[in-house]
Amino acid sequence: MKMIYSPQEYRIKDERMKPFIDENEIWEILDETKSTKEEVRRIIQKSLDKNRLSLQETAVLINATDPELIEEIKQGARELKEKVYGDRIVIFAPLYIGNKCSNNCTYCGFRANNTKQKRITLQKEQIKREVKALEDTGQKRLILVYGEHKDYDADFIADSVRTVYDVKSGNGEIRRVNINAAPLDIDGYKKVKEAGIGTFQIFQETYHRDEYKKYHLSGKKADYDWRLTGLDRAQEALIDDVGIGALFGLYDWRFETLALLRHVNHFEACYNVGPHTISFPRIKAALDSNINPEYEVSDEDFVRLVAILRLAVPYTGMILTAREPEHIREEVIKLGVSQIDAGTNIQLGGYSEKNEKQQKLEQEQFEIGDTRSLGEVIDELIEKEYLPSFCTACYRKGRTGEHFMEFSVPGFIKRFCSQNAILTLAEYLEDYATDEQKQKGYKLIDKKIKELESIDNQKVAPLLERLELVRQGKRDLYF
Ligand code: SAM
Ligand code: SF4
């Protein structure tokens, strides 16, 4: 039987759907927590021992203002990233499917009352062209992005996901499609789950209820609670890979950082598993948007908050997007980011068509900061000895949700992920790299294999076997 509940009914139906953010609690913790050198150091060590931090402990890190302590927090985050996630960086690309929107989020170029915005919805053939163009550069993981509009209902989203998976170009294919779209009802989530999505991502933008009202003037998104409980309904539909986020620059970054942690706690308490990823986009200029500079997050504070988040939730993937310029990406990656987009183009139809600059802004949600191609980003990662990874193994092996946590907690991430990163990098080098890149890439692979050998000798033989098969033309091998 089809279940249709109003947002109000959803909240009553299930305790878990109750809004869980208490602004006063968060501010009290922030206001009443003192940061001593000893406490900051104890808390960094607790995190390095791979323990989750409490709200109070995270507030101690947030309130640390001594430059020496801030540097220790950053150093702690760097160490933890290396310990838990190793040196692989998972790569994906966003694909904007449609920019019609019936909401009025004051910061976004797609908002309904922005009459200068050209409205475009990619038709099936256009989606196929875009996906082919992406596959031809080597992409394997996409996140599909949609405005909130009646045309983009669950059937439409599920349909576009299937279209993406169907496109194969040479050895190219998309192996994981994630979604960033408006919150759905439970039936809607079930439909998109059936289409084979990976993560469903919803950013709360700001967790502060009154501030939220100021930015979300009309449309369904004006309902704070409906959005806050959006991923609880996803869980109810058995989507256990969910991504949370806050749009930094709408309100005080310290509050948002703690509220993100509160959201993580909520998931852990209710579903026994935290979110798969946390995103921390910073506001970027958008066509005719009116952004209040009061809460602008400086580069320095941005770097700090990423380091604090890393320490607070050692097992959650952290996503950094091309909103940020190259030099910030370089610094923040070191602090614990596990996923980045690369070769990003957020213009509708932009991967397969070239357009003039002005036309571009009229079809974009905001301006991006890192405009390098996928090849250029990979070059840089290899140069800095990170392992670029297109791995999609966990989700296809059923290592999602709680199972993902089980694997990640005892350090499995590093062992599975490094090997799968090596295999997917080898595929990329064989199919898409220049000769020079190929040479540098395999040199890095050799180095990483030696490192793996020193940790666990037995792991290496099956990896070498698969690597040889990739060289011979086999694809999609993973652990
Ligand atoms: N329409 C859906 C929604 O609002 O959830 C999903 C797509 S929306 C295009 C994806 C995210 O882009 C939003 O959640 C918001 O955090 C971010 N965003 C919107 N305007 C932005 C801006 N000017 N700068 C940076 N990020 C922005
Ligand atoms: Fe629409 Fe999303 Fe932009 Fe808000 S952030 S105007 S909901 S596309």
Side-chain angles (χ1 to χ4, degrees):
M1 201 178 69
K2 194 172 158 57
M3 292 181 294
I4 301 174
Y5 299 104
S6 69
Q8 189 57 28
E9 283 166 330
Y10 269 121
R11 278 167 228 144
I12 295 163
K13 184 180 159 278
D14 191 329
E15 280 295 296
R16 287 172 297 176
M17 303 290 170
K18 279 196 175 160
F20 47 84
I21 295 286
D22 177 347
E23 281 101 345
N24 294 334
E25 181 200 22
I26 291 177
W27 272 122
E28 261 169 38
I29 295 173
L30 281 168
D31 288 342
E32 287 169 13
T33 309
K34 300 263 171 306
S35 288
T36 62
K37 230 177 221 180
E38 294 67 37
E39 262 301 89
V40 170
R41 287 180 180 153
R42 178 190 71 75
I43 291 165
I44 295 173
Q45 192 51 50
K46 180 177 172 189
S47 176
L48 284 173
D49 293 334
K50 300 185 199 164
N51 297 304
R52 277 261 283 99
L53 302 184
S54 67
L55 288 167
Q56 282 76 8
E57 287 166 332
T58 306
V60 170
L61 300 185
I62 290 175
N63 284 334
T65 48
D66 175 349
E68 190 192 335
L69 286 180
I70 293 175
E71 190 41 48
E72 287 182 32
I73 290 171
K74 289 196 228 165
Q75 186 49 33
R78 287 183 204 112
E79 263 180 56
L80 187 69
K81 174 186 157 60
E82 168 54 24
K83 241 179 166 173
V84 177
Y85 286 90
D87 40 21
R88 98 243 198 245
I89 301 285
V90 172
I91 292 181
F92 68 95
L95 173 57
Y96 280 63
I97 301 291
N99 67 0
K100 288 194 206 171
C101 195
S102 39
N103 295 323
N104 269 305
C105 310
T106 55
Y107 45 81
C108 176
F110 292 169
R111 69 192 179 279
N113 68 10
N114 184 7
T115 50
K116 288 190 190 150
Q117 183 76 56
K118 275 202 182 125
R119 305 292 164 174
I120 297 172
T121 303
L122 298 188
Q123 302 303 306
K124 239 181 199 146
E125 286 313 309
Q126 289 172 299
I127 296 180
K128 286 184 192 166
R129 274 204 298 278
E130 289 287 280
V131 176
K132 181 182 179 319
L134 283 156
E135 286 176 1
D136 289 346
T137 63
Q139 300 279 7
K140 297 280 187 282
R141 306 167 58 105
L142 299 185
I143 181 153
L144 306 190
V145 185
Y146 309 77
E148 180 159 7
H149 193 269
K150 62 177 173 30
D151 290 357
Y152 311 148
D153 61 8
D155 289 309
F156 176 86
I157 294 176
D159 220 39
S160 49
V161 170
R162 282 188 283 266
T163 304
V164 169
Y165 280 130
D166 282 346
V167 178
K168 313 273 175 204
S169 178
N171 279 335
E173 60 181 353
I174 299 302
R175 298 175 184 158
R176 179 172 173 128
V177 176
N178 298 330
I179 300 289
N180 185 315
L184 301 174
D185 61 17
I186 296 173
D187 278 345
Y189 284 116
K190 284 183 182 160
K191 284 180 188 164
V192 296
K193 182 179 165 64
E194 254 172 50
I197 63 157
T199 309
F200 202 105
Q201 225 181 43
I202 300 174
F203 305 154
Q204 185 60 26
E205 319 300 12
T206 171
Y207 283 91
H208 194 280
R209 194 178 285 271
D210 289 343
E211 294 295 322
Y212 186 94
K213 266 192 210 136
K214 292 185 197 162
Y215 296 107
H216 302 100
L217 303 177
S218 60
K220 207 167 173 184
K221 191 162 166 182
D223 184 343
Y224 173 100
D225 291 342
W226 175 251
R227 192 160 180 96
L228 188 68
T229 54
L231 292 171
D232 293 274
R233 293 189 297 283
Q235 293 278 354
E236 199 74 10
L238 303 182
I239 296 179
D240 54 6
D241 263 5
V242 296
I244 64 171
L247 183 54
F248 280 88
L250 295 183
Y251 187 52
D252 193 307
W253 69 265
R254 299 172 311 143
F255 177 91
E256 306 293 12
T257 304
L258 219 51
L260 279 168
L261 186 59
R262 183 68 190 79
H263 204 161
V264 173
N265 290 349
H266 169 74
F267 277 116
E268 288 187 351
C270 292
Y271 311 106
N272 213 14
V273 57
H276 189 62
T277 54
I278 296 188
S279 300
F280 30 85
R282 253 197 311 184
I283 284 225
K284 302 288 296 178
L287 193 66
D288 285 345
S289 69
N290 202 352
I291 299 166
N292 179 353
E294 188 185 346
Y295 295 117
E296 192 181 336
V297 181
S298 66
D299 288 353
E300 209 178 295
D301 286 343
F302 184 66
V303 169
R304 237 170 108 191
L305 78 88
V306 177
I308 292 169
L309 276 173
R310 174 68 302 149
L311 291 171
V313 284
Y315 299 113
T316 308
M318 302 218 322
I319 302 182
L320 176 69
T321 70
R323 286 174 180 85
E324 297 299 334
E326 210 177 312
H327 68 281
I328 294 286
R329 297 240 280 180
E330 204 181 304
E331 185 166 3
V332 169
I333 283 173
K334 292 184 204 148
L335 296 169
V337 165
S338 47
Q339 292 190 28
I340 61 168
D341 55 341
T344 297
N345 189 325
I346 62 171
Q347 189 187 358
L348 280 117
Y351 290 111
S352 53
E353 294 161 21
K354 296 246 172 302
N355 276 304
E356 295 303 316
K357 172 84 182 148
Q358 182 50 30
Q359 201 180 343
K360 218 171 148 239
L361 206 59
E362 286 169 4
Q363 293 174 15
E364 280 180 354
Q365 188 192 13
F366 48 78
E367 283 175 6
I368 59 170
D370 186 349
T371 53
R372 289 173 300 167
S373 68
L374 174 61
E376 285 168 326
V377 173
I378 292 205
D379 265 342
E380 196 199 309
L381 291 174
I382 291 175
E383 182 80 31
K384 304 232 152 77
E385 301 201 345
Y386 286 109
L387 261 178
S389 173
F390 296 91
C391 176
T392 53
C394 279
Y395 137 81
R396 290 154 83 217
K397 284 235 173 194
R399 295 194 295 253
T400 65
E402 209 175 332
H403 304 287
F404 180 78
M405 292 294 275
E406 276 168 31
F407 277 96
S408 60
V409 172
F412 271 95
I413 265 205
K414 198 166 176 178
R415 284 155 63 194
F416 279 114
C417 299
S418 301
Q419 299 186 77
N420 289 329
I422 286 172
L423 290 173
T424 54
L425 175 60
E427 284 186 345
Y428 174 86
L429 297 175
E430 291 296 328
D431 292 338
Y432 306 103
T434 59
D435 287 345
E436 195 191 338
Q437 194 178 45
K438 194 169 169 177
Q439 206 191 353
K440 286 185 181 160
Y442 272 116
K443 208 169 143 198
L444 178 68
I445 287 178
D446 287 343
K447 188 165 180 215
K448 298 291 171 187
I449 289 176
K450 287 207 177 80
E451 284 172 17
L452 276 178
E453 220 163 12
S454 65
I455 301 169
D456 186 348
N457 188 8
Q458 291 188 341
K459 281 269 161 212
V460 171
L463 173 62
L464 290 177
E465 257 169 49
R466 282 174 171 77
L467 202 52
E468 184 49 36
L469 290 172
V470 171
R471 281 200 167 104
Q472 289 168 14
K474 274 239 182 249
R475 293 291 171 265
D476 204 15
L477 303 170
Y478 50 86
F479 293 93

